[in-house]
């Protein structure tokens, strides 16, 4: 089970993580949460839920390339300059969806952090590992966060195509991007094995 997710009977997934892996995953997820940002304000218990649902969000895409990757425009052709109508549609779509999308990503990230905080790797020589067990809903939240972490790192590494990631394997050890590349590749492996647990059994 070490290093990859395995399916649990009845749904969900499990993985064994050592102390270093837990620390890396937690630190990366906390950084992701900081990038996504806090809620706009405390929810008012008396607030009309429909009013909150239709509260307007931003209409322009984020300036940060990583956030732009997490919250892309919904209209237009990738890599092409959108026309005026596509920009108008994208702005309208973003205005009514980005707040909810941010909230979902934030909730997923917080669920990942909480699940990691509940782990206690075994003490002793060699470090031992703790087994993380996820419900089907927990698996979905982890999958969303792993995907968001890879998108964010890909933006920082300026990876726009999966084929470009092949060159990352050949980076010299003294390249300052190497730790970020190793995290990107490792997260990809975790994501792939978690997806496999969600398939039919």
């Amino acid at each position: 089970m070490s290093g990859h997710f395995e399916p649990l009977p009845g749904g969900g997934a499990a993985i064994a993580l050592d102390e270093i892996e837990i620390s890396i995953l937690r630190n990366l997820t906390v950084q992701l949460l900081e990038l996504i940002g806090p809620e706009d304000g405390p929810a008012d218990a008396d607030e009309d839920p429909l009013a909150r649902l239709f509260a307007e969000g931003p209409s322009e895409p984020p300036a940060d390339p990583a956030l732009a990757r997490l919250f892309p425009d919904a209209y237009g052709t990738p890599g092409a300059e959108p026309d005026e109508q596509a920009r108008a549609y994208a702005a309208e779509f973003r205005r009514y969806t980005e707040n909810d999308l941010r909230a979902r990503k934030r909730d997923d990230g917080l669920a990942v952090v909480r699940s990691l905080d509940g782990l206690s790797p075994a003490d002793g020589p060699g470090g031992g590992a703790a087994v993380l067990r996820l419900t089907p809903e927990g698996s979905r939240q982890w999958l969303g966060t792993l995907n968001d972490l890879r998108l964010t790192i890909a933006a920082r590494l300026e990876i726009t195509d999966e084929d470009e990631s092949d060159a990352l394997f050949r980076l010299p050890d003294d390249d300052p991007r190497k730790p970020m590349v190793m995290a990107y590749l490792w997260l990809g492996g975790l994501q792939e094995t978690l997806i496999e647990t969600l398939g039919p059994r």
Side-chain angles (χ1 to χ4, degrees):
M1 184 182 299
S2 180
H4 61 274
F5 282 96
E6 292 184 0
L8 289 174
I15 186 171
L17 297 169
D18 63 30
E19 191 171 356
I20 293 173
E21 292 168 329
I22 293 169
S23 177
I24 292 170
L25 282 166
R26 190 184 190 287
N27 287 337
L28 288 173
T29 306
V30 167
Q31 290 177 52
L32 175 66
L33 288 168
E34 290 171 353
L35 180 67
I36 293 170
E39 289 186 75
D40 292 334
D44 184 347
D46 298 325
E47 183 182 2
D48 179 358
L50 283 177
R52 186 170 180 81
L53 180 63
F54 292 106
E56 291 191 15
S59 59
E60 294 296 322
D64 185 311
L67 282 173
R69 194 79 69 95
L70 292 175
F71 305 103
D73 274 337
Y75 294 88
T77 304
E81 186 65 29
D83 60 27
E84 188 174 336
Q85 186 177 33
R87 279 196 295 271
Y89 286 154
E92 193 70 6
F93 186 83
R94 183 180 296 279
R95 184 177 291 121
Y96 292 107
T97 60
E98 186 170 313
N99 284 348
D100 283 345
L101 186 55
R102 279 182 185 263
R104 193 188 78 214
K105 290 179 182 296
R106 191 182 301 113
D107 289 346
D108 289 351
L110 287 170
V112 168
V113 170
R114 289 184 187 116
S115 63
L116 291 170
D117 286 346
L119 293 179
S120 300
D123 295 327
V131 177
L132 172 70
R133 291 179 176 82
L134 300 174
T135 63
E137 173 62 12
S139 295
R140 185 203 63 75
Q141 291 176 309
W142 264 77
L143 191 57
T145 296
L146 288 172
N147 186 61
D148 288 346
L149 287 171
R150 292 194 81 233
L151 286 173
T152 301
I153 294 174
R156 297 294 185 239
L157 291 171
E158 299 181 345
I159 299 171
T160 57
D161 188 304
E162 272 302 317
D163 292 338
E164 295 176 23
S165 65
D166 292 341
L168 300 175
F169 285 102
R170 298 186 292 276
L171 285 179
D173 289 341
D174 60 353
D175 190 300
R177 297 171 295 169
K178 189 77 170 188
M180 198 180 298
V181 167
M182 297 307 294
Y184 177 77
L185 297 172
W186 177 56
L187 291 168
L190 293 181
Q191 184 181 21
E192 185 177 342
T193 60
L194 183 53
I195 289 171
E196 289 171 359
T197 71
L198 302 175
R201 295 283 150 201

